[in-house]
């Protein structure tokens, strides 16, 4: 499963962007929703990983050890800029996303981001149940699915998401139910016998 565009809009709409925490959380969610970065990589994202001139994020993924270059889309860049310039606590920490409460250091682990995301889903009225696949990682699946439905090759999707094997990206094809229906065999005119 994955977070739909409509669900993402509902989640973003309930975030209080007047607060420092809201600015941070919006930047985290938008970064994940537009780059496909994992939560474990977002908490390790450093200020120096963002190339504002080129409009990209360069990051060595924790899971694979591969360096990925992902585009920094305008909306995400604006959210990151708003957080960094207007809400990020003054700190010597190189990480972009910091804790809101003392000590104002890097976010401890990916579970913190997953919990934050789940709170916004609840606030947006998005029903969840155990193992429904709609956790924070579903933003990554949505990026892969959206790329596939836009006609991007599986190979490119694999490279953007930093998979070590191209087969890892093939699962996103199964999320494209609309185009998969076109592959189904037509049984019109075939007699069914038991």
């Amino acid at each position: 499963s994955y977070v739909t565009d409509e669900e993402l809009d509902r989640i973003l709409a309930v975030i209080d962007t007047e607060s420092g925490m809201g600015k941070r959380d919006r930047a985290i969610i938008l970064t994940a929703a537009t780059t496909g970065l994992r939560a474990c990589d977002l908490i390790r994202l450093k200020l120096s990983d963002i190339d504002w001139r080129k409009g990209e994020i360069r990051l060595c993924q924790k899971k694979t050890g591969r360096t990925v270059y992902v585009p920094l889309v305008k909306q995400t860049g604006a959210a990151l800029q708003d957080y960094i310039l207007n809400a990020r606590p003054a700190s010597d920490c190189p990480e972009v996303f910091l804790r809101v409460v003392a000590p104002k250091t890097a976010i401890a682990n990916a579970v913190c981001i997953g919990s934050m995301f789940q709170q916004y889903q609840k606030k947006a009225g998005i029903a969840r149940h155990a193992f429904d696949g709609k956790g924070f990682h579903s933003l990554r699946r949505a990026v892969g699915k959206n790329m596939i439905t836009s006609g991007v090759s599986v190979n490119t999707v694999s490279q953007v998401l930093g998979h070590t094997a191209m087969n890892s990206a093939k699962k996103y094809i199964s999320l494209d139910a609309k185009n998969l229906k076109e592959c189904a065999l037509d049984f019109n005119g075939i007699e069914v016998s038991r």
Side-chain angles (χ1 to χ4, degrees):
S1 191
Y2 60 93
V3 171
T4 65
D5 292 339
E6 184 267 332
E7 289 171 330
L8 179 60
D9 289 342
R10 286 171 51 193
I11 291 164
L12 294 172
V14 298
I15 298 174
D16 174 16
T17 55
E18 297 300 314
S19 71
M21 182 171 71
K23 289 179 189 299
R24 182 202 64 189
D25 295 348
R26 185 171 192 277
I28 289 171
I29 292 169
L30 277 173
T31 303
T34 58
T35 65
L37 291 175
R38 296 176 182 93
C40 63
D41 292 325
L42 285 171
I43 63 173
R44 297 172 52 247
L45 181 67
K46 295 183 175 38
L47 293 166
S48 59
D49 292 334
I50 303 172
D51 188 330
W52 297 99
R53 286 195 171 95
K54 287 184 178 178
E56 69 183 16
I57 295 173
R58 177 192 43 80
L59 175 78
C60 180
Q61 292 185 324
K62 181 178 181 181
K63 182 176 179 180
T64 64
R66 296 179 82 180
T67 298
V68 293
Y69 296 83
V70 292
L72 184 59
V73 299
K74 188 174 183 177
Q75 182 184 25
T76 302
L80 282 166
Q81 183 179 21
D82 186 32
Y83 167 66
I84 292 168
L85 297 177
N86 302 315
R88 186 178 182 274
S91 174
D92 291 334
C93 285
E95 288 81 12
V96 173
F97 301 113
L98 303 179
R99 293 167 36 101
V100 177
V101 295
K104 301 202 176 178
T105 57
I107 296 172
N109 56 50
V111 174
C112 297
I113 289 183
S115 296
M116 169 270 293
F117 187 66
Q118 191 171 11
Q119 288 173 4
Y120 286 118
Q121 285 176 308
K122 185 176 183 180
K123 194 173 179 182
I126 297 169
R128 294 284 318 274
H129 60 275
F131 309 109
D132 64 359
K134 293 273 190 168
F136 190 79
H137 196 76
S138 65
L139 292 170
R140 179 175 170 82
R141 286 192 293 275
V143 170
K145 181 254 183 203
N146 289 339
M147 290 175 74
I148 291 289
T149 56
S150 297
V152 176
S153 72
V154 175
N155 190 39
T156 302
V157 173
S158 184
Q159 289 173 352
V160 169
L161 296 178
H163 293 134
T164 53
M166 191 173 78
N167 284 341
S168 298
K170 286 184 178 178
K171 62 187 168 196
Y172 300 113
I173 295 170
S174 68
L175 298 175
D176 184 11
K178 179 183 167 197
N179 289 321
L180 276 178
K181 288 178 184 177
E182 292 179 18
C183 298
L185 296 174
D186 183 7
F187 289 103
N188 287 331
I190 298 175
E191 185 180 323
V192 179
S193 61
R194 295 186 184 242

